[in-house]
Amino acid sequence: GGSEPDALAQAARLGEQAGFDEINLNLGCPSDRVQAGRFGACLMREPGLVAEGIAAMVAAVDIPVTVKTRIGVDHNDSYEELSALVDKLAIAGCRTFIIHARKAWLKGLSPKENREIPPLRYEIAHRLKQDFPNLELIVNGGITNLDAAAAQLERVDGVMIGREAYHNPWLLADVDRRFHGDETPPPERRQIIQRLLPFIESELASGVPLQRISRHILGLFQGQPGARRWRRHLSENSHKKNADTTVIVEALCYIRPGGTTTD
Ligand SMILES: Cc1cc2nc3c(=O)[nH]c(=O)nc-3n(C[C@H](O)[C@H](O)[C@H](O)COP(=O)(O)O)c2cc1C
C-alpha cells in the first residue's frame, strides 16, 4: 500500500528483486491505520494520485502491476466513479483488477465488519468486465465453494478466495482438476501433511517458528471427525519453544482414517 509514486516505484523494484510475480496495490483496506497513512480504500477517492503511483510502478518493473479495490467508499459508491477509476488506472498501465465486490465504510465499521456488513454486489464486477473486456477482472468476496467460483467464471476472468482458503484450505485441492485440466486426483488430506513435513523440517532448520507454518493448516480437516482436536493440538503447542514436526504428527493422531472418531 501507499500513495507516494517514488516510494511505490522503489517498493515495486524491491518486490521484483525479491522474486515476486506481481505487484498489487491495495485500494481496499479500510482500517484507521492505513487511512492515516493515506493508503488503502481511502485512495479510491484520489484516482489521479493512484494513477501516478501505478504509472511509476509500471515504469519501474517488468512484472505486472495490479490493483485490488472495493466497489466504492462511503457515499462515493456510484458505478460511474468506479468505472472512471478503472479507466484511469488502465490508461496508467494496470491490466488486472481484483474487485472485492462490496463497498467500504471508512468510519463506523471495523475492518472485520467491513468484510461482512456492506452487501456483496457481484453484478458490479460483471458490469466492469462487460465495459472493459480487454482488462483482466477478478472477483473477490464471499466465495466459499468451487461451484460459486465456476458460476463467477462465466462472467469474469478469475476468482480470488480469501477467508475460506483459511477456514477450509482443502477446498483448493480440487481446483487444478476442475479448472486447469489436471487429471491427477487430488491428494488425501493426510498425504498433504506428509508431503509438507520435509518443507517444515527445512524451514525450522532455517529458524522459522513452527506456528508460522501451522497456522495455515489449522482448517485442513474442517468438517472431518477429529478436526477440532487437530486444531486445538496445533494451537496449544505450535507456539512453544523448540516446537517441531512432532506437534504436527501428534495432532494427526486425532484424525482417524475412516472417520470413526467424534470431534
Ligand atoms: C485477516 C485478514 C487480513 C487481510 N489483509 C488483506 C491485505 O493485506 N490486503 C488485501 O488486499 N486484502 C486483505 N484482506 C481482505 C481479503 O483479501 C479479501 O478481500 C476479503 O477477505 C474478502 O474476501 P473473502 O470473502 O474471500 O474472504 C484481509 C482479510 C483478512 C480476513
Side-chain angles (χ1 to χ4, degrees):
S3 54
E4 210 278 291
D6 289 343
L8 285 173
Q10 201 184 343
R13 252 182 245 115
L14 291 175
E16 183 177 49
Q17 282 160 16
F20 286 96
D21 297 324
E22 169 185 336
I23 304 295
N24 178 266
L25 185 67
N26 182 334
L27 305 185
C29 183
S31 89
D32 290 344
R33 216 154 46 106
V34 309
Q35 284 181 57
R38 212 172 167 209
F39 68 90
C42 61
L43 287 178
M44 289 191 73
R45 291 208 187 100
E46 302 194 63
L49 181 63
V50 180
E52 280 177 43
I54 294 289
M57 288 192 284
V58 168
V61 296
D62 291 325
I63 51 179
V65 174
T66 67
V67 160
K68 178 154 175 280
T69 182
R70 298 281 182 140
I71 56 173
V73 279
D74 297 340
H75 296 292
N76 298 102
D77 62 352
S78 70
Y79 179 75
E80 287 64 34
E81 283 164 287
L82 177 64
S83 72
L85 173 73
V86 168
D87 193 36
K88 214 172 182 66
L89 302 187
I91 291 167
C94 177
R95 311 307 302 165
T96 300
F97 292 81
I98 300 152
I99 310 290
H100 182 179
R102 50 164 68 90
K103 67 184 284 182
W105 289 103
L106 296 182
K107 291 266 175 293
L109 292 187
S110 69
K112 183 171 185 291
E113 288 168 332
N114 258 314
R115 287 191 291 268
E116 291 164 0
I117 292 176
L120 283 159
R121 299 191 58 201
Y122 297 125
E123 73 279 8
I124 301 288
H126 304 161
R127 188 170 166 195
L128 278 178
K129 179 61 195 173
Q130 279 180 346
D131 290 349
F132 298 93
N134 297 326
L135 298 179
E136 184 178 45
L137 262 292
I138 297 172
V139 72
N140 166 243
I143 296 160
T144 57
N145 62 69
L146 298 189
D147 287 340
Q152 290 294 336
L153 289 171
E154 302 279 319
R155 319 291 291 270
V156 290
D157 303 298
V159 168
M160 176 187 161
I161 295 175
R163 286 164 292 185
E164 194 63 13
Y166 261 82
H167 298 158
N168 177 23
W170 175 249
L171 166 77
L172 303 175
D174 210 24
V175 166
D176 284 352
R177 186 165 63 170
R178 187 145 176 194
F179 298 106
H180 300 293
D182 183 350
E183 283 168 17
T184 33
E188 299 286 328
R189 291 173 171 86
R190 284 173 164 274
Q191 265 179 312
I192 290 175
I193 296 300
Q194 295 300 345
R195 290 180 194 175
L196 193 61
L197 288 175
F199 171 79
I200 299 177
E201 296 278 9
S202 75
E203 290 297 300
L204 292 177
S206 66
V208 173
L210 181 65
Q211 195 183 22
R212 206 176 290 169
I213 302 171
S214 63
R215 62 196 291 225
H216 302 291
I217 51 173
L218 289 175
L220 184 63
F221 292 94
Q222 166 87 351
Q224 301 289 299
R228 196 180 308 162
R229 283 192 273 177
W230 155 267
R231 257 194 324 268
R232 193 189 308 145
H233 191 80
L234 292 185
S235 305
E236 288 175 356
N237 296 289
S238 296
H239 65 281
K240 290 182 180 162
K241 198 161 177 255
N242 298 328
D244 62 15
T245 48
T246 317
V247 174
I248 310 278
V249 174
E250 285 167 357
L252 211 48
C253 295
Y254 291 115
I255 308 290
R256 294 279 164 78
T260 50
T261 320
T262 52
D263 192 16

